[in-house]
Amino acid sequence: ESESATHRAWVRQSTAPDFKALNRPILSSAPDLEKVQEGGEYKHGAFDDAGTDFKVEKFGRIINLSMEAIINDDLDAFARLAPALGTAAIRKEADLVYDLLTANSGDGVTLSDSTALFDASRQNVISAATYDGNLLGGARTLLRRKRDISGRGWLNLTPAFLLVPPELEHRTLEIVRASTLEGEQGNTN
């Protein structure tokens, strides 16, 4: 079967002009506005910014084919080479993306501030004794309460994807299904 590109549903792709190191800036919300009296002076404000560095890397392989192998290919196997290599490219892309999330024993890749992607200081980690709807509700609350890098603006993030390892997939479906059913039963319209 073809490799699944599940990561493409929740990542943002961008382009790079070359293989040099790149920096993608992140801007905060605009500064809070202050009341200005008639004839008064406007005060200066500033945006906070941060960013992360990355660079493009290339991956590939060479497949050796002899003229004899091509001529003797009665089953048209070599016609499937290009699609197979395309599938390998998708698999590599997915592996690299998921490796970022699972690095450092599941804490995620270390970012430019020397802190792992998933760290209590980022307010994006929740733990509980039981994997249940309360845990997912707590995670949703953390996400909804996120502010921008200045701490001024609410990001208003709405969870759209739930990434879980295969070992938790069935339990997660049960939890989501139960919470959906509870919501539907309470709806009298």
Side-chain angles (χ1 to χ4, degrees):
E1 288 190 21
S2 295
E3 293 293 324
S4 177
T6 57
H7 66 288
R8 289 187 176 175
W10 55 269
V11 299
R12 186 177 134 232
Q13 290 184 308
S14 63
T15 58
D18 51 39
F19 291 95
K20 296 176 190 165
L22 299 166
N23 183 282
R24 291 287 188 240
I26 302 169
L27 282 179
S28 69
S29 297
D32 291 336
L33 302 179
E34 296 179 354
K35 185 175 182 176
V36 178
Q37 299 296 330
E38 182 178 344
E41 186 177 323
Y42 288 88
K43 295 180 182 175
H44 288 276
F47 284 89
D48 292 330
D49 69 333
T52 188
D53 295 327
F54 67 96
K55 69 178 199 164
V56 175
E57 297 177 322
K58 64 181 180 174
F59 299 85
R61 294 299 288 260
I62 294 175
I63 307 296
N64 290 324
L65 296 175
S66 67
M67 184 175 76
E68 291 84 1
I70 294 171
I71 292 171
N72 292 336
D73 183 17
D74 296 340
L75 300 176
D76 204 24
F78 298 128
R80 295 188 296 266
L81 275 181
L85 290 171
T87 299
I90 291 170
R91 181 176 62 242
K92 184 63 170 179
E93 183 180 289
D95 288 348
L96 291 170
V97 168
Y98 286 111
D99 285 349
L100 292 173
L101 290 178
T102 59
N104 296 321
S105 301
D107 290 339
V109 66
T110 301
L111 300 179
S112 57
D113 62 359
S114 301
T115 304
L117 175 62
F118 302 110
D119 187 85
S121 67
R122 296 188 192 285
Q123 298 177 346
N124 65 1
V125 176
I126 190 166
S127 60
T130 308
Y131 183 68
D132 60 11
N134 292 327
L135 177 71
L136 294 182
R140 178 188 298 260
T141 299
L142 272 181
L143 185 64
R144 300 287 287 163
R145 295 251 180 235
K146 293 296 289 177
R147 290 183 174 264
D148 74 357
I149 60 173
S150 71
R152 288 187 298 262
W154 294 100
L155 293 176
N156 197 28
L157 301 173
T158 302
F161 299 96
L162 185 58
L163 305 178
V164 297
E167 296 81 8
L168 293 176
E169 189 173 333
H170 182 75
R171 179 68 186 128
T172 303
L173 287 171
E174 289 176 335
I175 293 167
V176 170
R177 190 174 296 122
S179 66
T180 303
L181 289 174
E182 288 172 11
E184 289 176 2
Q185 289 172 353
N187 185 358
T188 58
N189 292 335

